[in-house]
Amino acid sequence: MWRKRAVLALVGGLAGGVHADATAQTPASRELVARAVAHEHGEGVAKDPALAATLYCEAARSGDPDAQFGLGWMHANGRGVPRDDRIAAGLFTLAAAQQHEHAQRMLAHLGEGGGQLPECMRAAMPAATDLDADAFADLPPEKRRYAELVRHLAPSYGIRPRLALAVIAVESNFDPRARSPKDARGLMQLIPGTAARFRVRDAYDPADNVRGGLEYLRWLLAYYRGQVTLVAAAYNAGEGAVDRYRGVPPYAETRDYVQRIRRHFPSQDHPYDASVAEPSPLIAGAPAARM
């Protein structure tokens, strides 16, 4: 059970502007969070916890860690929303993965365990299909914990967990200390350039690594307009190579990689957010070359 006194001590930093250094924050999401804080505490406006929760959720869907923490705190205390420790844990997990200090502390109070997202966030995610069936249910306990992390984080990035889990299975076989001859590191095998591009501080930290890998997958899905084959090829060989060869590059490693990903995630298409990236010239021009 959550201790209300500990929560009150931690939440003060949210209104004071203590938040994560996260790529998911935007001017729009910060404005939503500011309005949510004002309505939650009655600062200059009528106190309205239900409206605050709605505003937090809108920003949380875009990945804002302050919003995820704020909504998690409201669920932890039943303020404006039903009290639900599992939902609080799911939201704190999302924020903690983006280095949100208070969310990390709350998870330390909670301990490791399950969690889920509120309905207002699940409704914005891609519709569930048979592809979302748990193809990784038989993982041993030391690997299952990382699969649970992905299940928490992936929907916040608009990514079906099974696609992210497919990448991890092929890239590292769920080994957070994996390192390739090309210096790709961690669960999602981020090379230093990609880690820096998505502000990953420690590629061997599972949550930080998964967050960066999900950011990259979200960008690739937007860039290739949801074409999973091209996304998988680019994750392995880089988008430059995919664009240059106008499809899957003629590298044995990349072709094998794409086939392995597709065995885990057989759908060719995946929902994407077109606002994340302009389409690849390959998509805007002639049809892609098929394998």
Side-chain angles (χ1 to χ4, degrees):
M1 299 291 290
W2 298 98
R3 294 182 179 274
K4 188 171 184 179
R5 184 176 300 173
V7 175
L8 288 171
L10 290 171
V11 78
L14 180 59
V18 178
H19 54 71
D21 177 18
T23 60
Q25 288 181 316
T26 65
S29 71
R30 290 190 181 100
E31 173 63 21
L32 286 169
V33 170
R35 290 171 57 199
V37 170
H39 283 289
E40 180 183 359
H41 300 287
E43 299 173 351
V45 295
K47 191 171 184 178
D48 189 338
L51 177 56
T54 299
L55 293 168
Y56 277 136
C57 196
E58 185 176 347
R61 285 198 300 263
S62 71
D64 189 291
D66 282 348
Q68 292 162 354
F69 175 79
L71 187 58
W73 182 85
M74 296 188 81
H75 276 284
N77 289 274
R79 174 175 288 186
V81 293
R83 177 168 178 166
D84 192 317
D85 288 354
R86 284 182 58 81
I87 289 178
L91 289 160
F92 290 148
T93 298
L94 293 179
Q98 299 191 70
Q99 311 303 319
H100 195 288
E101 179 183 355
H102 297 326
Q104 291 172 336
R105 291 180 183 177
M106 291 309 300
L107 284 177
H109 282 282
L110 176 65
E112 294 187 6
Q116 63 186 48
L117 294 178
E119 183 61 34
C120 66
M121 291 183 69
R122 293 197 299 268
M125 299 305 153
T129 70
D130 58 348
L131 286 177
D132 296 312
D134 191 355
F136 298 91
D138 296 329
L139 289 171
E142 66 273 14
K143 295 182 179 181
R144 193 179 308 135
R145 58 184 299 189
Y146 303 124
E148 287 299 319
L149 175 67
V150 170
R151 292 188 187 97
H152 283 313
L153 293 178
S156 185
Y157 292 85
I159 296 174
R160 289 199 170 112
R162 184 163 173 175
L163 177 59
L165 290 169
V167 171
I168 292 175
V170 175
E171 289 282 354
S172 68
N173 193 25
F174 295 89
D175 179 1
R177 305 302 299 176
R179 185 171 183 175
S180 79
K182 297 180 181 179
D183 203 23
R185 304 177 184 183
L187 288 169
M188 299 192 76
Q189 289 290 276
L190 304 178
I191 61 173
T194 302
R197 177 178 173 186
F198 294 103
R199 301 185 187 181
V200 173
R201 297 176 179 177
D202 181 1
Y204 290 122
D205 176 80
D208 203 12
N209 183 284
V210 168
R211 180 194 61 76
L214 291 172
E215 287 270 12
Y216 188 33
L217 278 177
R218 178 168 65 175
W219 188 91
L220 288 172
L221 284 165
Y223 187 64
Y224 290 115
R225 294 310 194 237
Q227 294 192 35
V228 174
T229 292
L230 298 180
V231 168
Y235 200 96
N236 177 262
E239 57 266 26
V242 173
D243 289 347
R244 185 167 61 253
Y245 284 102
R246 304 194 61 76
V248 179
Y251 311 148
E253 175 190 331
T254 301
R255 290 177 175 266
D256 177 68
Y257 179 90
V258 170
Q259 290 175 351
R260 293 170 68 193
I261 293 292
R262 295 295 304 281
R263 281 197 291 270
H264 288 297
F265 191 87
S267 176
Q268 168 56 27
D269 300 309
H270 186 291
Y272 61 89
D273 182 350
S275 69
V276 172
E278 292 294 322
S280 160
L282 173 62
I283 300 299
R290 298 288 182 177
M291 287 183 61

